[in-house]
C-alpha cells in the first residue's frame, strides 16, 4: 500500500525559481508565526496561504481591520459581524466547527478592549467544541499582538487576561482539538512570549527595530550579526524555517493573490486645483449636501460608565405638581420658586437590611438567563451598581468575596448556616477553597446535589454551572476534581454516574451523564 500523497500549498518561489511549498498537514500539527513591519507584505502572505489552502481545510480568520472579508466573494467564507454578545459569538463558533464552514470574524467596528473580548469569546467557542467536531481548522489571527500583548496597556486587566488565555489555548492546546494557529504580528517584542514560543514554523519579513530583529534571529537559530539582513528584505520577501517549510532558513518570495484587501497602500496622485482661494475656503467651511450620510459614525455608541448610569438614575426624580410641598394652587409656572428644602438624610441600613439588600442583588443577577455565561468581572460590576441603587452603604464586597458568595448562592447554600460550628458544610467549603476560584461554584453545585440526594448532574449541567457549553470541558473538570480528591465518581450497572463527597455520607442518585441540561436549578438563598 502506498502512502497518501501530501497536500502542499504553493506560497511562491525560492531564490532558484522553484516553488516554495508548505506542507499543509505538517502545518496543522506545528503552527505558524509570521512577523513583519507594516508594508512588509505580511497580510499578502496570509491571503496567499488562505487562498491556496481554502479547498483543503476549514478556516477561521480573526480580522481586526476587516481586510479579509473579501475572501467571502470568491471562496465562500461567511463574515461574522460583532454586533452580538459574547455568548452569541461562542454559540456561532460552536456551529462553525459543527458544520465546517470557513468564516471571517470582522472586528473593525469595535474598540481595542471590545475586540479582545469578542476574539476571546469566539476562540473559546472553537476551543470548547464537542470532541465529535474536532475537524482540522486553520485559525488565522492577524495583528496578534493586539490579542496577546506582552505587557498591559490601556485595556482592563480582565480583558487582557481572557484574550491572552484564549490565544495561549489556541497555540499550546489547540492541536489536539484540530486547531492550527497561524498568528501574524508587526512587532515580536509586543507579542507574549508564551504564545510565540508555541509556533514551530516561522516566516520573518522586513524588520527595522533592533529588538525585533534580535528576536527574529533567535527564533530562526541565526547568529545576532546576521539579524541585520531583516532590514534589507523587500516587500513580499520572507525568511522561512520550520518542519512544514524548510529545515534551514530559506528566502521565499510570496506569489500573487486572487483577492484584494479593502485597504490599500497609499499611492501618490496629483492634487486637485480649486478655481480660486474663495472656492477652497467654501469647500472647507460650508457643509455639503450628503455630509450627514457620508460622515455618519460607523462605530456603535460607547457603553455608559457606571458613574453615568448612577447620575442618570439620580436625575430621574418625579416632577412635583403644583400645590404640593406648600406651593399654592394656581401659582404661575414662571413665578419665583422658594429655595428647595434640604433632602432628608437617608437612614443607614441595619445589618439585617443590608444583608437582605445584598441577597436581593445576588438573586436578581442569578435570575438572569445569561448569568452563567457572563464573566465574573461583568457580574461584579452589575452587583456594585445594584447595591448602590439600593443605597447599600459600608465597605462593598471585594471581588474574591463576591466570587465566593456567588458560588455559594448559585449552589443554593445558606452561608450563615454553613459557617456554623456544627455544620457539615464547613468541611465542604474548605474543600472548595482548595480548588481554583473558577471551579468552586461547580464543585458546590455537585456537592449540593449529593446533599439533597438528587440525580447526578449531567455533563451539560456541570458545564452550565461552570459557564460553558462544552460537555468535554465538564468531563475534564470532574476528572480534575477527582484527582484533587474532593469527589469520587463511579458508574452503576446501567452506566449512570454517581458522585460522592469523600469523608461525608453524601452521594447523588444515579444520573445519565449524557442527558441535556434540565430546567431544574437549586433555590438560591444567599445569606452571610
Amino acid at each position: 500500500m502506498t502512502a497518501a500523497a501530501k497536500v502542499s500549498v504553493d506560497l511562491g518561489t525560492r531564490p532558484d525559481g522553484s516553488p516554495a511549498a508548505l506542507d499543509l498537514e505538517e502545518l496543522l500539527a506545528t503552527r505558524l508565526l509570521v512577523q513583519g513591519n507594516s508594508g512588509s507584505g505580511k497580510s499578502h502572505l496570509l491571503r496567499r496561504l488562505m487562498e491556496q489552502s481554502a479547498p483543503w481545510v476549514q478556516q477561521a480568520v480573526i480580522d481586526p481591520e476587516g481586510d479579509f472579508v473579501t475572501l467571502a466573494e470568491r471562496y465562500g467564507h461567511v463574515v461574522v459581524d460583532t454586533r452580538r454578545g459574547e455568548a452569541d459569538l461562542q454559540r456561532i463558533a460552536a456551529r462553525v466547527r459543527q458544520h465546517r464552514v470557513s468564516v471571517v470574524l470582522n472586528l473593525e467596528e469595535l474598540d481595542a478592549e471590545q475586540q479582545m473580548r469578542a476574539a476571546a469569546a469566539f476562540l473559546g467557542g472553537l476551543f470548547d467544541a464537542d470532541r465529535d467536531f474536532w475537524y482540522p481548522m486553520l485559525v488565522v489571527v492577524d495583528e496578534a499582538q493586539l490579542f496577546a500583548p506582552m505587557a498591559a496597556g490601556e485595556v482592563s486587566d480582565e480583558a487582557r487576561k481572557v484574550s491572552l488565555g484564549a490565544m495561549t489555548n489556541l497555540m499550546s492546546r489547540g492541536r489536539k482539538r484540530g486547531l492550527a494557529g497561524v498568528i501574524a504580528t508587526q512587532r515580536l517584542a509586543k507579542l507574549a512570549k508564551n504564545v510565540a514560543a508555541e509556533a514551530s514554523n516561522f516566516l520573518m519579513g522586513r524588520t527595522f527595530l533592533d529588538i525585533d530583529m534580535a528576536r527574529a534571529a533567535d527564533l530562526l537559530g541565526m547568529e545576532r550579526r546576521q539579524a541585520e539582513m531583516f532590514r534589507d528584505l523587500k516587500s513580499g520577501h520572507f525568511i522561512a524555517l520550520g518542519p512544514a517549510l524548510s529545515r534551514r532558513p530559506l528566502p521565499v518570495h510570496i506569489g500573487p493573490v486572487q483577492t484584494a484587501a479593502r485597504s490599500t497602500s497609499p499611492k501618490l496622485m496629483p492634487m486637485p486645483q480649486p478655481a480660486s482661494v474663495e472656492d477652497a475656503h467654501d469647500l472647507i467651511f460650508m457643509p455639503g449636501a450628503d455630509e450627514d450620510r457620508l460622515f455618519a459614525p460607523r462605530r456603535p455608541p460607547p457603553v455608559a460608565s457606571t458613574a453615568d448610569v448612577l447620575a442618570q438614575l439620580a436625575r430621574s426624580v418625579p416632577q412635583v405638581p403644583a400645590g404640593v410641598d406648600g406651593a399654592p394652587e394656581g401659582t404661575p409656572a414662571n413665578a419665583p420658586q422658594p429655595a428647595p428644602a434640604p433632602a432628608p438624610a437617608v437612614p443607614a441600613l441595619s445589618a439585617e437590611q443590608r444583608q437582605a439588600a445584598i441577597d436581593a442583588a445576588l438573586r436578581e443577577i442569578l435570575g438572569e438567563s445569561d448569568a452563567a455565561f457572563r464573566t465574573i468581572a461583568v457580574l461584579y460590576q452589575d452587583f456594585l451598581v445594584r447595591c448602590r441603587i439600593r443605597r447599600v452603604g459600608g465597605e462593598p464586597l471585594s471581588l474574591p468575596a463576591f466570587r465566593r458568595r456567588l458560588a455559594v448562592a448559585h449552589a443554593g447554600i445558606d452561608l450563615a448556616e454553613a459557617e456554623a460550628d456544627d455544620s457539615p458544610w464547613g468541611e465542604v467549603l474548605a474543600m472548595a477553597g482548595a480548588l481554583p476560584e473558577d471551579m468552586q461554584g461547580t464543585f458546590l453545585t455537585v456537592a449540593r446535589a449529593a446533599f439533597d440526594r438528587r440525580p447526578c448532574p449531567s455533563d451539560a449541567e456541570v458545564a452550565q454551572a461552570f459557564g460553558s457549553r462544552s460537555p468535554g470541558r465538564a468531563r475534564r473538570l470532574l476528572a480534575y476534581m477527582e484527582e484533587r480528591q474532593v469527589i469520587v465518581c463511579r458508574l452503576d450497572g446501567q452506566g449512570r454516574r454517581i458522585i460522592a463527597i469523600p469523608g461525608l455520607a453524601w452521594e447523588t442518585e444515579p444520573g445519565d451523564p449524557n442527558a441535556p441540561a434540565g430546567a431544574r436549578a437549586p433555590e438560591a438563598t444567599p445569606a452571610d
Side-chain angles (χ1 to χ4, degrees), residues 39-308:
S40 64
K42 172 170 50 66
S43 297
H44 179 89
L45 185 156
L46 294 179
R47 189 175 294 274
R48 172 79 178 187
L49 172 60
M50 286 185 283
E51 289 181 356
Q52 294 291 312
S53 62
W56 302 101
V57 66
Q58 183 186 4
Q59 301 170 349
V61 188
I62 308 299
D63 186 5
E65 299 297 336
D67 285 339
F68 295 96
V69 297
T70 52
L71 292 170
E73 302 171 3
R74 187 179 181 94
Y75 296 97
H77 291 61
V78 175
V79 178
V80 179
D81 64 65
T82 48
R83 293 189 294 270
R84 311 169 187 271
E86 295 177 22
D88 286 339
L89 290 176
Q90 286 182 329
R91 285 191 288 266
I92 290 171
R95 297 187 202 113
V96 165
R97 298 218 68 185
Q98 178 181 358
H99 300 293
R100 302 188 69 184
V101 178
S102 293
V103 295
V104 178
L105 180 65
N106 183 12
L107 302 174
E108 65 175 334
E109 299 285 342
L110 306 180
D111 62 27
E113 180 160 336
Q114 291 172 330
Q115 284 187 346
M116 296 177 79
R117 293 181 182 277
F122 190 78
L123 290 174
L126 297 179
F127 188 84
D128 290 339
D130 192 84
R131 182 183 291 271
D132 294 338
F133 307 129
W134 287 1
Y135 303 111
M137 171 187 277
L138 281 183
V139 183
V140 180
V141 183
D142 195 17
E143 306 297 349
Q145 75 279 355
L146 301 178
F147 307 105
M150 183 69 175
E154 296 180 356
V155 300
S156 66
D157 289 340
E158 197 270 339
R160 176 178 177 270
K161 180 179 178 181
V162 296
S163 180
L164 181 58
M167 289 289 290
T168 302
N169 278 339
L170 169 65
M171 296 300 290
S172 63
R173 302 169 59 198
R175 182 182 65 83
K176 293 182 179 180
R177 291 164 173 77
L179 302 176
V182 177
I183 58 175
T185 179
Q186 293 186 20
R187 295 286 316 280
L188 274 174
K190 288 188 175 182
L191 182 66
K193 290 184 178 180
N194 60 331
V195 172
E198 297 296 335
S200 301
N201 301 284
F202 306 96
L203 282 162
M204 300 299 181
R206 184 173 59 200
T207 305
F208 292 102
L209 294 181
D210 291 341
I211 186 173
D212 291 327
M213 290 192 298
R215 281 196 65 184
D218 288 340
L219 289 173
L220 295 182
M222 301 166 59
E223 297 181 6
R224 291 297 181 97
R225 58 185 177 84
Q226 296 177 292
E228 294 287 337
M229 67 175 293
F230 293 112
R231 282 200 179 107
D232 301 327
L233 291 175
K234 297 180 181 179
S235 178
H237 289 72
F238 290 80
I239 305 298
L241 178 68
L245 295 162
S246 172
R247 298 294 177 178
R248 296 289 184 271
L250 174 70
V252 174
H253 179 209
I254 306 303
V257 295
Q258 302 298 318
T259 59
R262 294 189 300 177
S263 59
T264 58
S265 300
K267 304 293 183 182
L268 293 176
M269 55 190 308
M271 292 288 293
Q273 297 296 324
S276 65
V277 175
E278 289 76 11
D279 290 342
H281 185 279
D282 291 342
L283 290 174
I284 296 298
F285 294 105
M286 297 294 291
D290 296 335
E291 192 165 296
D292 292 339
R293 179 180 62 83
L294 293 176
F295 297 101
R298 297 174 57 197
R299 297 185 181 275
V303 179
S305 66
T306 301
D308 293 338

